[in-house]
Amino acid sequence: MNQVMISFSVLVSSAELNSHSAPRHSNDYCAMYDICGQRTDGKVLNCPYASPSVKPDDLFSAKIQSLCPTITGNVCCTETQFDTLRSQVQQAVPFLVGCPACLRNFLNLFCELSCSPNQSLFINVTSVAEVGGNLTVDGIDYHITDMFGEGLYESCKEVKFGTMNTRAINFVGGGAQNFREWFAFIGQKAPPGFPGSPYAINFKSSSPELSAMAPMNLSTYSCGDTSLGCSCGDCPSSPACSSPEPLPPPHEEDSCSFRLGPLKVRCIELSMALLYILLVSSFFGWATFSRTRDITQPDGSSESLVRLLEGDGINSELKESTLGVKGKRHAHLSPVQRYMATFYKSYGSWIARNPSLVLFISVAIVLALSSGLLHFKVETRPEKLWVGPSSKAAEEKKFFDSHLSPFYRIEQLILATVPDPKTGKAPSIVTEENILLLFDIQEKVDQIRGNYSGSEVPLTDICLKPLGEDCATQSILQYFKMDVGNYDEYGGVEHAEYCFQHYTSSELCLSAFQAPVDPSAVLGGFSGSNYSEATAFVITYPVNNIVGDSSNENARAIAWEKSFIQLAKEELLSMVQSNNLTLSFSSESSIEEELKRESTADVITIAASYLVMFVYISVTLGDAPQFCTFFISSKVLLGLSGVVLVLLSVLGSVGFFSALGVKSTLIIMEVIPFLVLAVGVDNMCILVRAVKRQPRDISLEDRISSALVEVGPSITLASLSEVLAFAVGAFVPMPACRIFSMFAALAILLDFFLQITAFVALIVFDCKRAADNRIDCFPCVKVSSSSEESVEGGSEPGFLERYMKEVHAPVLGLWVVKMVVVAVFLAFALASIALSPRLETGLEQKIVLPRDSYLQDYFDSLAEYLRVGPPLYFVVKDYNYSLESRHTNQLCSISQCNSNSLLNEISRASQTPETSYIAKPAASWLDDFLVWLSPEAFGCCRKFTNGSYCPPDDQPPCCTADDDICSLDGICKDCTTCFRHSDLVRDRPSTAQFREKLPWFLNALPSADCAKGGHGAYTNSVDLKGYETGVIQASEFRTYHTPLNSQGDYVNSLRAAREFSSRISNLLKIEIFPYSVFYIFFEQYLNIWTVALTNLAIALGAIFVVCLLITSSAWSSAIIVLVLVMILADLMGVMVVLGIQLNAVSVVNLIMSIGIAVEFCVHISHAFLMSNGNREQRARKALETMGASVFSGITLTKLVGVMVLCFARSEIFVVYYFQMYLALVIIGFLHGLVFLPVILSLAGPPQIYLDTEEEEQGRDGASSSLLN
């Protein structure tokens, strides 16, 4: 594109100045006439000779009327001057022709100046200069009324120039904010070589006193004029546009709120407060009333049952299966319970007799599954990890990429100044030193050569080139054509600052690829339009992006990107820092590469977590340490074997899915082993403790059998609940989280399988080792029998057992404590529910990256410095351009388009960016095409006499072969406009005309003579495949989002664009959808709450069903689910407090937390259900029996492993695995060992009644009475 600003030197050259005589101001008299010279830059200068106006011949008069209908009769310009005027105004016509009223007012301004017969009445020559021996005009006063100036500006101020998503006045008026600024811009005398007027034009609103002069006061046309009406996009004040359909209100997650004094209270918060008061009042009333009644049931068998178990030396442990044997199991146990008890009794006996066989078979099965690791692959592509294949955004992206063009790859550098330590304000970066530094950096970037298969890949081979052979690099250096040699010649910093304001109007400010460069895209850290105060340079290298890359272009680009990042780290960073600046950088492949690096970033942390948990397991599984028996009673080898089994279960899960072709993820490799270990350790501890509790005077076979009967059902219940909870996560649409849930569910299932097979077999071996007095870790070494006696002797209850029996259970049994516990836990639950709507959605990109990643600084710089948002495309499907269709007027925004058309609505939405998130009107290929076709744009759509396309005069082949500068004498002088008004139907092309001329437009290069050429700006905006049928399958209209600085902004902008498109589609009956490059990653957050609540409800329902089947107690199952709901609510409240966002990762964590939280509840609840006595007694027995196991085997094991994760280098580990899991462990522990026993003591399910006859049978021998 060449100079787009009107050369006002030519416009005013058509006027004649006075001669040597005194100026005369009267009707039919000229102030200037003819051309008397030209400047060194070729700009012509008028003669200062006063003369009467001249009567033109009929042909000349007709030519003048075609452009200046207000001028009749005599004129003050020659025919040559008029032809020059016409050729120059055609540069402005394409910008303004979409609004006929504005164009007519604009042309009248210069027609009156150039050719008005009464020119001397409002033009006064104020200074002259001698050029080539002739006097020429050097300055004039142009007297013009404010009314005309105001009318001109008001009719043009909103006219759009769609190609650049900006106002046309930015091009023809220097971005003027009122008519005085516009006139001042027009009247500036430009230095040689610069665009503008060759002499000063001083616009004045009044004429001199005692003078015959009178200001020019031609009538102006309003943009709302019905005869010359403009579109609503170009004239929002038009009466036809005054009552548009209102935009929908901005989406609000919780719009119900009110003020209570100075506080803003949400309705849900008030509701929870009132509900809390009601529930607590009701509970206190019920509890007080209940105390007056004797609700206890005498239980004569309880004491004898305790005596029955005291023989094993651990009288504080009362397990459900041991107690349950006294009841009439066949009469009162469900078929499931009866079957499980029978199965575990016989299975325990069999495994004790055949441990080697069980160990071999179970490990062999898992190893067979692990063989699938031969097909193991890791998925690291972000779009494959975080986007579901059936998502609407994914389908829209696929449509956009296949029909239009995929969004280009972005490589970016951001240089910024360092804030002053005293004031905290950063200085401007626009200095000579910094610009020259940028040239040095650019030189190094140009020298980068990527290495792809032994061949070198320079930037010029892969960069985006919309026009010509120059890369479309977005940089302040484009104001110097990317050439350091132009820096001093153009004027250095002053030229850059000049271009900040005139980037659209000055030819010298055009980029090397011949397009304007918006300063807001290459500068950062400024406010408003104060570009000179910018504190950052933003350099962007757009690189071609290929879909279905058969030519390996993307691989070549990735090779260059790796070299680019290496250069930035090794050279550019030190260069920039030595100049007291900061540098941040990124490439298109950076996130994927950093995610790969993250896979090894926390290896040490995870290994430490495993080591700590292994040490804890070894200590926990062993007996109380005694020096003389430590080497026999310790369980280091057993603990290590348990860890190995956990790893085998993970390998089996990964191998199974790998064999099915499911790719793994880095999160799976890092988190699942830790997660399965944390879950598996619980069951290991419970199994080992159950074996320890059995009487030492019975056989090993009976001890294993009794232990499995005792804890097998609760372990099965907990494990199945965990598997189901994890499996529900497979319904989350995000692939990374869905795959994670699938792998985890199978790993937990395999871990459970190995625990009740291989680990029980290992327990058998360990018991035999201890009985044979063999040293742990060295089973071939035996010790003396004295040690054996101490091992076989009775052992005292541990500290936790005594604490649970003597402190914890009695304190919770106090009535006041119960009231406080219920009130406090209920308060936390309801407060968390009230806070949950404040839970923000999203996943900060910085969190998923290593803390030391260079992208951390880059994302900070994006949020701090960028002043332009991501591109936004409104894609129209199946646009029918036939003359009979209404689609054209329903889409366009120029004259005669519908007031509620798509482009008018986009323009209207851009006026409320705070809710629409649309920053600018859309660049419209359709508007520009219709203008390009228009007869008024006589320099655009042209044809040779043979009907073929004729380019503008300033483009080849219109230039003479031996002339570098295009002239009117070129070989295209016989070209004519494509159409006359009579050839069009209501200024719209016929179907055939549209079909024929659209490819012309898309291939037309923009230039000064016709800025509306579509090549470059709209090359990929229209899908021409099959367009000959009269229907364009896909086309896009480009605009920009406002700057998006938070995850909420991204989500809300997507939601607003979707709602806007849906409304317009329904209104126009045309399929329209919005597309932006980030939509595919943020679509999940539009319904993340629905996904989360649905999956949580399914998981809770599945757990309720499992509990009901195994316990046969709907009452007990309901209490477990109630406690799980409270744990979930509290966990979500903690997420709000800690600032953890709701996303697919946290949703999976919430679902998994149900499975993990089950362990805190199910063992206590099952022990309570199988115990005897009244509710108070049974709750105490449940705590005495399982309290210590839940605390040491479940709480502490998870706590130990989780604590190590706080040292992880990846923020996602710290936030989503350390913080959330730590909160879960604490909340689960409190609910399982404090709240649940209290609720059970107050409203627990009834006991399973026992038969006295079987009780007596139970006294005869524990082993024979375990199962009837």
Side-chain angles (χ1 to χ4, degrees):
M1 184 188 297
N2 293 325
Q3 178 180 337
V4 293
M5 173 184 165
I6 295 177
S7 178
F8 293 106
S9 62
V10 178
L11 297 183
V12 299
S13 69
S14 61
E16 184 179 54
L17 295 176
N18 285 333
S19 64
H20 298 86
S21 59
R24 176 179 175 182
H25 303 289
S26 63
N27 289 328
D28 294 322
Y29 216 82
C30 305
M32 306 177 293
Y33 192 81
D34 214 344
I35 297 173
C36 288
Q38 66 179 20
R39 302 196 314 179
T40 56
D41 58 1
K43 292 182 179 179
V44 296
L45 298 168
N46 294 334
C47 302
Y49 303 141
S51 65
S53 59
V54 178
K55 182 175 178 62
D57 58 34
D58 292 343
L59 179 60
F60 184 27
S61 178
K63 290 174 65 177
I64 293 177
Q65 285 286 302
S66 67
L67 187 67
C68 307
T70 59
I71 297 178
T72 58
N74 293 352
V75 296
C76 283
C77 58
T78 65
E79 188 167 357
T80 302
Q81 289 176 307
F82 178 80
D83 288 340
T84 305
L85 166 66
R86 180 184 175 91
S87 67
Q88 295 299 324
V89 296
Q90 75 178 25
Q91 298 177 10
V93 168
F95 295 97
L96 307 176
V97 71
C99 182
C102 167
L103 178 62
R104 173 48 48 208
N105 293 334
F106 185 79
L107 292 177
N108 285 346
L109 174 68
F110 295 103
C111 286
E112 293 296 313
L113 170 64
S114 304
C115 295
S116 172
N118 303 316
Q119 186 188 74
S120 63
L121 290 177
F122 44 82
I123 298 293
N124 187 36
V125 177
T126 57
S127 63
V128 296
E130 185 174 345
V131 177
N134 296 324
L135 289 178
T136 60
V137 174
D138 191 51
I140 65 171
D141 287 343
Y142 189 174
H143 298 272
I144 189 168
T145 63
D146 289 348
M147 182 181 297
F148 180 89
E150 189 71 32
L152 169 65
Y153 181 79
E154 289 298 320
S155 66
C156 295
K157 67 178 183 180
E158 298 294 344
V159 176
K160 304 184 302 298
F161 179 53
T163 308
M164 291 296 296
N165 298 91
T166 187
R167 298 186 306 162
I169 202 168
N170 291 339
F171 287 75
V172 299
Q177 299 298 313
N178 53 63
F179 78 91
R180 298 187 190 279
E181 292 183 9
W182 194 359
F183 285 166
F185 172 79
I186 292 173
Q188 291 176 351
K189 180 179 179 179
F194 282 79
S197 172
Y199 51 79
I201 305 175
N202 184 18
F203 289 89
K204 293 188 173 183
S205 59
S206 60
S207 57
E209 296 182 4
L210 304 178
S211 169
M213 297 183 69
M216 195 276 285
N217 190 26
L218 205 65
S219 298
T220 56
Y221 295 92
S222 167
C223 64
D225 191 292
T226 54
S227 61
L228 294 172
C230 305
S231 69
C232 292
D234 292 335
C235 185
S237 60
S238 172
C241 310
S242 58
S243 301
E245 184 178 341
L247 287 170
H251 179 88
E252 295 184 7
E253 294 183 356
D254 183 13
S255 58
C256 178
S257 61
F258 61 94
R259 290 203 169 273
L260 191 63
L263 299 177
K264 183 179 181 180
V265 181
R266 297 188 179 191
C267 294
I268 189 172
E269 296 168 354
L270 178 63
S271 301
M272 292 299 103
L274 295 176
L275 181 60
Y276 176 73
I277 294 173
L278 177 63
L279 291 177
V280 170
S281 300
S282 301
F283 173 73
F284 282 175
W286 170 81
T288 303
F289 175 74
S290 298
R291 289 197 71 199
T292 62
R293 301 174 55 192
D294 183 12
I295 59 172
T296 61
Q297 290 184 338
D299 181 20
S301 64
S302 177
E303 183 179 354
S304 60
L305 292 173
V306 174
R307 283 200 308 269
L308 174 66
L309 298 177
E310 283 179 347
D312 66 358
I314 312 178
N315 54 17
S316 64
E317 298 287 341
L318 299 175
K319 289 304 297 176
E320 58 268 32
S321 61
T322 308
L323 294 173
V325 298
K326 313 305 182 293
K328 296 181 179 180
R329 287 181 175 269
H330 296 292
H332 296 285
L333 293 181
S334 70
V336 175
Q337 289 175 308
R338 188 179 302 112
Y339 171 79
M340 290 179 65
T342 305
F343 167 78
Y344 276 117
K345 177 172 177 61
S346 58
Y347 172 73
S349 300
W350 179 77
I351 198 173
R353 294 192 301 270
N354 306 282
S356 298
L357 178 63
V358 172
L359 182 62
F360 174 78
I361 294 176
S362 59
V363 172
I365 292 174
V366 177
L367 287 177
L369 293 175
S370 302
S371 63
L373 289 171
L374 296 174
H375 306 283
F376 175 75
K377 293 181 180 179
V378 177
E379 182 64 80
T380 57
R381 291 173 294 176
E383 67 275 11
K384 296 295 183 181
L385 289 174
W386 308 110
V387 182
S390 61
S391 75
K392 183 179 179 182
E395 294 175 358
E396 292 170 348
K397 180 182 185 299
K398 182 179 179 180
F399 181 89
F400 186 92
D401 290 348
S402 60
H403 287 82
L404 299 170
S405 178
F407 195 75
Y408 45 80
R409 304 173 70 90
I410 294 177
E411 335 296 344
Q412 204 162 53
L413 298 171
I414 301 178
L415 285 75
T417 54
V418 178
D420 185 279
K422 295 181 180 179
T423 63
K425 183 178 180 181
S428 172
I429 198 171
V430 187
T431 65
E432 180 172 348
E433 180 183 6
N434 293 334
I435 294 177
L436 292 177
L437 171 66
L438 201 54
F439 272 114
D440 293 338
I441 291 175
Q442 184 59 45
E443 182 180 1
K444 290 185 176 294
V445 172
D446 290 337
Q447 294 172 356
I448 293 176
R449 295 295 184 269
N451 184 358
Y452 175 71
S453 298
S455 62
E456 293 186 343
V457 182
L459 176 61
T460 52
D461 283 1
I462 59 175
C463 68
L464 183 68
K465 300 175 182 176
L467 297 170
E469 294 300 319
D470 291 291
C471 295
T473 301
Q474 299 294 302
S475 169
I476 190 177
L477 302 185
Q478 289 287 10
Y479 297 139
F480 305 96
K481 305 292 190 291
M482 301 296 289
D483 186 354
V484 69
N486 292 333
Y487 179 77
D488 291 327
E489 180 183 348
Y490 283 14
V493 175
E494 291 183 1
H495 173 72
E497 293 179 340
Y498 173 82
C499 289
F500 295 161
Q501 305 301 326
H502 305 91
Y503 68 97
T504 57
S505 57
S506 172
E507 183 177 5
L508 286 179
C509 295
L510 293 182
S511 64
F513 59 97
Q514 294 300 301
V517 175
D518 190 338
S520 63
V522 298
L523 299 173
F526 57 88
S527 59
S529 58
N530 299 320
Y531 302 120
S532 297
E533 298 178 0
T535 59
F537 289 147
V538 181
I539 305 95
T540 306
Y541 303 97
V543 171
N544 291 317
N545 195 6
I546 310 298
V547 174
D549 188 11
S550 58
S551 62
N552 294 322
E553 281 299 313
N554 284 351
R556 288 163 52 83
I558 291 173
W560 186 90
E561 288 166 358
K562 291 181 179 179
S563 299
F564 172 72
I565 295 300
Q566 183 179 359
L567 174 73
K569 290 180 177 179
E570 296 178 358
E571 297 186 41
L572 301 186
L573 197 58
S574 58
M575 283 179 59
V576 171
Q577 291 174 347
S578 64
N579 285 267
N580 198 30
L581 300 175
T582 63
L583 174 68
S584 54
F585 48 91
S586 171
S587 71
E588 185 73 17
S589 56
S590 287
I591 292 181
E592 183 174 348
E593 293 298 323
E594 288 298 280
L595 287 177
K596 290 180 181 178
R597 188 172 71 86
E598 186 189 28
S599 62
T600 59
D602 291 307
V603 170
I604 297 178
T605 303
I606 297 173
S609 176
Y610 274 56
L611 180 61
V612 170
M613 196 172 292
F614 163 65
V615 172
Y616 176 78
I617 294 169
S618 301
V619 173
T620 303
L621 295 183
D623 294 326
Q626 298 179 14
F627 180 76
C628 59
T629 63
F630 174 75
F631 295 106
I632 297 177
S633 62
S634 67
K635 306 291 183 184
V636 175
L637 188 59
L638 183 62
L640 178 61
S641 302
V643 173
V644 172
L645 292 179
V646 168
L647 295 179
L648 281 177
S649 67
V650 175
L651 293 177
S653 176
V654 176
F656 174 77
F657 284 109
S658 296
L660 296 179
V662 180
K663 291 184 178 181
S664 183
T665 67
L666 299 177
I667 293 180
I668 288 175
M669 305 313 299
E670 295 172 342
V671 178
I672 287 185
F674 161 77
L675 187 63
V676 177
L677 184 62
V679 172
V681 165
D682 310 340
N683 293 339
M684 293 181 201
C685 293
I686 291 173
L687 282 168
V688 172
R689 286 178 177 273
V691 173
K692 287 182 182 180
R693 282 196 296 269
Q694 304 311 312
R696 302 293 180 92
D697 56 352
I698 62 177
S699 66
L700 177 60
E701 179 180 334
D702 289 339
R703 288 161 60 195
I704 297 297
S705 176
S706 300
L708 285 178
V709 171
E710 179 180 330
V711 298
S714 61
I715 287 179
T716 304
L717 175 59
S719 297
L720 289 181
S721 299
E722 289 164 352
V723 170
L724 283 175
F726 280 83
V728 168
F731 294 100
V732 174
M734 183 181 287
C737 297
R738 183 176 66 250
I739 295 172
F740 174 83
S741 299
M742 292 163 50
F743 278 64
L746 182 56
I748 294 291
L749 184 61
L750 291 177
D751 186 51
F752 168 67
F753 167 73
L754 289 175
Q755 284 169 350
I756 62 172
T757 56
F759 189 72
V760 174
L762 290 171
I763 292 177
V764 173
F765 285 128
D766 189 72
C767 290
K768 291 181 177 180
R769 173 197 62 78
D772 201 23
N773 251 15
R774 297 181 181 274
I775 297 178
D776 189 22
C777 297
F778 300 97
C780 295
V781 180
K782 297 181 64 172
V783 296
S784 63
S785 59
S786 59
S787 297
E788 181 182 0
E789 292 175 1
S790 62
V791 172
E792 292 298 328
S795 61
E796 293 294 328
F799 169 77
L800 286 177
E801 286 84 353
R802 294 197 305 272
Y803 166 78
M804 287 294 170
K805 180 178 182 179
E806 300 171 5
V807 179
H808 193 81
V811 170
L812 290 182
L814 299 176
W815 183 83
V816 175
V817 173
K818 292 181 181 180
M819 299 300 103
V820 172
V821 166
V822 172
V824 170
F825 277 78
L826 188 59
F828 274 106
L830 294 180
S832 297
I833 294 174
L835 283 176
S836 59
R838 299 178 182 268
L839 193 58
E840 296 183 358
T841 58
L843 177 62
E844 294 290 347
Q845 290 174 304
K846 294 174 58 177
I847 287 182
V848 302
L849 300 169
R851 289 179 175 179
D852 60 349
S853 171
Y854 61 88
L855 290 178
Q856 298 284 357
D857 292 334
Y858 172 72
F859 288 127
D860 287 338
S861 296
L862 284 183
E864 183 175 356
Y865 299 118
L866 252 62
R867 294 297 183 266
V868 62
L872 166 62
Y873 302 88
F874 286 97
V875 181
V876 177
K877 301 174 71 172
D878 299 329
Y879 159 43
N880 187 339
Y881 62 79
S882 65
L883 189 62
E884 296 77 16
S885 172
R886 297 183 301 167
H887 282 188
T888 297
N889 287 339
Q890 288 179 321
L891 296 176
C892 65
S893 63
I894 61 174
S895 179
Q896 300 187 25
C897 297
N898 294 357
S899 63
N900 61 352
S901 69
L902 170 64
L903 291 163
N904 281 330
E905 288 296 320
I906 294 174
S907 178
R908 188 175 292 118
S910 68
Q911 298 173 11
T912 56
E914 63 280 354
T915 57
S916 69
Y917 293 90
I918 299 176
K920 301 178 179 181
S924 168
W925 69 267
L926 181 58
D927 283 357
D928 285 355
F929 174 53
L930 295 176
V931 168
W932 184 83
L933 285 174
S934 172
E936 280 86 0
F938 43 81
C940 291
C941 185
R942 308 197 309 169
K943 60 184 179 180
F944 287 112
T945 53
N946 62 4
S948 60
Y949 173 66
C950 175
D953 284 331
D954 58 353
Q955 295 180 24
C958 295
C959 303
T960 58
D962 57 352
D963 192 358
D964 292 334
I965 303 177
C966 294
S967 68
L968 298 177
D969 299 324
I971 61 174
C972 296
K973 59 184 178 181
D974 293 330
C975 292
T976 60
T977 56
C978 292
F979 304 111
R980 297 185 298 271
H981 280 289
S982 59
D983 297 327
L984 305 176
V985 180
R986 297 184 300 277
D987 286 336
R988 295 290 184 263
S990 66
T991 305
Q993 291 168 341
F994 197 112
R995 182 187 303 116
E996 179 188 8
K997 297 302 186 289
L998 180 59
W1000 287 19
F1001 166 73
L1002 295 177
N1003 290 320
L1005 293 172
S1007 64
D1009 279 358
C1010 181
K1012 291 291 186 178
H1015 186 72
Y1018 301 123
T1019 301
N1020 298 314
S1021 295
V1022 184
D1023 182 12
L1024 293 181
K1025 295 176 183 177
Y1027 89 107
E1028 298 86 355
T1029 61
V1031 175
I1032 295 175
Q1033 296 182 26
S1035 64
E1036 52 89 352
F1037 301 93
R1038 181 187 67 253
T1039 181
Y1040 291 88
H1041 278 299
T1042 54
L1044 307 175
N1045 297 321
S1046 68
Q1047 295 288 290
D1049 288 342
Y1050 282 99
V1051 176
N1052 291 332
S1053 65
L1054 169 57
R1055 180 182 290 111
R1058 285 268 178 92
E1059 292 175 353
F1060 174 84
S1061 295
S1062 176
R1063 184 176 69 88
I1064 297 300
S1065 295
N1066 294 333
L1067 180 66
L1068 304 181
K1069 309 302 180 186
I1070 301 176
E1071 188 173 356
I1072 303 168
F1073 69 84
Y1075 171 75
S1076 191
V1077 67
F1078 68 89
Y1079 284 0
I1080 194 171
F1081 299 109
F1082 286 85
E1083 182 189 38
Q1084 57 177 304
Y1085 304 120
L1086 296 180
N1087 61 346
I1088 191 70
W1089 274 105
T1090 302
V1091 171
L1093 296 178
T1094 300
N1095 287 322
L1096 290 175
I1098 294 173
L1100 290 170
I1103 289 175
F1104 177 82
V1105 171
V1106 171
C1107 293
L1108 183 62
L1109 288 176
I1110 294 180
T1111 65
S1112 297
S1113 172
W1115 196 331
S1116 176
S1117 302
I1119 289 179
I1120 291 175
V1121 170
L1122 172 65
V1123 176
L1124 293 179
V1125 170
M1126 293 181 66
I1127 291 175
L1128 279 177
D1130 288 352
L1131 187 56
M1132 295 176 73
V1134 171
M1135 289 174 62
V1136 176
V1137 174
L1138 296 179
I1140 300 176
Q1141 296 171 315
L1142 185 67
N1143 48 56
V1145 178
S1146 55
V1147 167
V1148 170
N1149 282 349
L1150 288 172
I1151 295 171
M1152 290 190 302
S1153 69
I1154 297 178
I1156 296 174
V1158 163
E1159 293 190 319
F1160 292 101
C1161 307
V1162 70
H1163 298 293
I1164 297 291
S1165 179
H1166 197 257
F1168 176 88
L1169 186 66
M1170 304 303 289
S1171 298
N1172 294 311
N1174 59 36
R1175 290 191 176 98
E1176 180 68 33
Q1177 294 169 335
R1178 292 160 62 206
R1180 179 172 297 189
K1181 292 173 186 176
L1183 277 175
E1184 294 172 356
T1185 304
M1186 293 301 298
S1189 296
V1190 169
F1191 182 76
S1192 63
I1194 298 178
T1195 305
L1196 291 183
T1197 52
K1198 289 180 172 59
L1199 193 62
V1200 168
V1202 167
M1203 291 301 294
V1204 181
L1205 291 181
C1206 71
F1207 300 104
R1209 294 168 60 190
S1210 300
E1211 192 72 16
I1212 192 170
F1213 270 80
V1214 176
V1215 174
Y1216 289 96
Y1217 296 102
F1218 167 64
Q1219 293 183 1
M1220 283 195 71
Y1221 284 3
L1222 179 62
L1224 171 62
V1225 170
I1226 296 174
I1227 294 171
F1229 157 72
L1230 292 175
H1231 280 78
L1233 292 182
V1234 178
F1235 180 72
L1236 179 60
V1238 170
I1239 289 298
L1240 291 174
S1241 69
L1242 294 172
Q1247 64 179 345
I1248 295 179
Y1249 291 101
L1250 305 181
D1251 183 76
T1252 304
E1253 179 180 339
E1254 288 193 24
E1255 177 193 345
E1256 294 300 328
Q1257 295 176 0
R1259 290 195 182 99
D1260 295 336
S1263 60
S1264 62
S1265 65
L1266 285 169
L1267 288 171
N1268 189 16

